[in-house]
Amino acid sequence: MLIVGGTLVPTCDRTVAAAGKNYRYSTNHQVVIEADTRLVVAVGKPLPGNRNDCRAWEDSGAKAAVGATPTVIADGGCRGTGLTIPHYRRHKNGEVFISFLELSCAFLAEVYSGDTLYPALTITGLESQGDTGVVVTAATIHSQRGELVLSGQHKYLLRRQ
């Protein structure tokens, strides 16, 4: 079983990058990992940051790289692509996810081809705002050497259930 996720990487090279939903010049990278071992199986070629994950999944070559793997799990950003989207509860009035409020990170160490990366999201805060709420998470990525290579924070605006 494989898991695919897309991430925006801030990039200064504007020949590849484009201003995306966060208004920064970035590239969209599709990363496919093996669910049991968390080892990276494939990384698609970088695409401009204004490409959504549905399009980037195919255009980056990540889909072709995994071939006919029976189960590939993705998040809700890949609906309509034939990928498996786990338990997705819809709010009676529409989507639960409303928007990203903040996405920030700092690269703290170099990563090399062949490195194994271990991502983690930890909920650090919940703020109620009437019929919506803000979820704050700490995002970290460690290398196989236990070295912290990325640290950041995400804030999501969600509709309350």
Side-chain angles (χ1 to χ4, degrees):
M1 184 178 326
L2 302 176
I3 300 172
V4 64
T7 187
L8 295 175
V9 177
T11 308
C12 293
D13 181 2
R14 293 189 180 187
T15 61
V16 177
K21 61 186 172 191
N22 60 6
Y23 303 106
R24 295 183 181 154
Y25 278 83
S26 58
T27 52
N28 184 326
H29 296 261
Q30 296 293 304
V31 179
V32 182
I33 66 167
E34 209 289 318
D36 294 327
T37 63
R38 296 186 187 170
L39 294 175
V40 175
V41 174
V43 177
K45 71 178 183 184
L47 295 173
N50 60 359
R51 299 279 164 60
N52 65 32
D53 284 346
C54 293
R55 185 168 171 195
W57 164 243
E58 293 194 25
D59 293 351
S60 70
K63 180 179 180 180
V66 300
T69 303
T71 305
V72 180
I73 298 174
D75 62 17
C78 289
R79 275 180 253 134
T81 59
L83 297 172
T84 302
I85 314 280
H87 316 312
Y88 182 73
R89 279 181 54 188
R90 296 188 86 131
H91 189 272
K92 61 185 174 189
N93 297 326
E95 302 290 332
V96 173
F97 176 82
I98 298 172
S99 69
F100 278 106
L101 297 178
E102 181 181 314
L103 177 62
S104 61
C105 67
F107 292 93
L108 306 173
E110 293 183 9
V111 177
Y112 302 98
S113 177
D115 279 358
T116 302
L117 303 177
Y118 299 95
L121 275 180
T122 305
I123 296 175
T124 58
L126 300 169
E127 304 165 18
S128 179
Q129 298 179 346
D131 64 344
T132 62
V134 175
V135 176
V136 182
T137 62
T140 58
I141 299 178
H142 287 83
S143 71
Q144 76 272 14
R145 296 174 296 281
E147 179 178 31
L148 182 63
V149 297
L150 180 138
S151 178
Q153 177 175 286
H154 299 175
K155 281 189 179 182
Y156 309 96
L157 179 63
L158 304 175
R159 192 176 324 277
R160 291 182 55 146
Q161 295 282 324

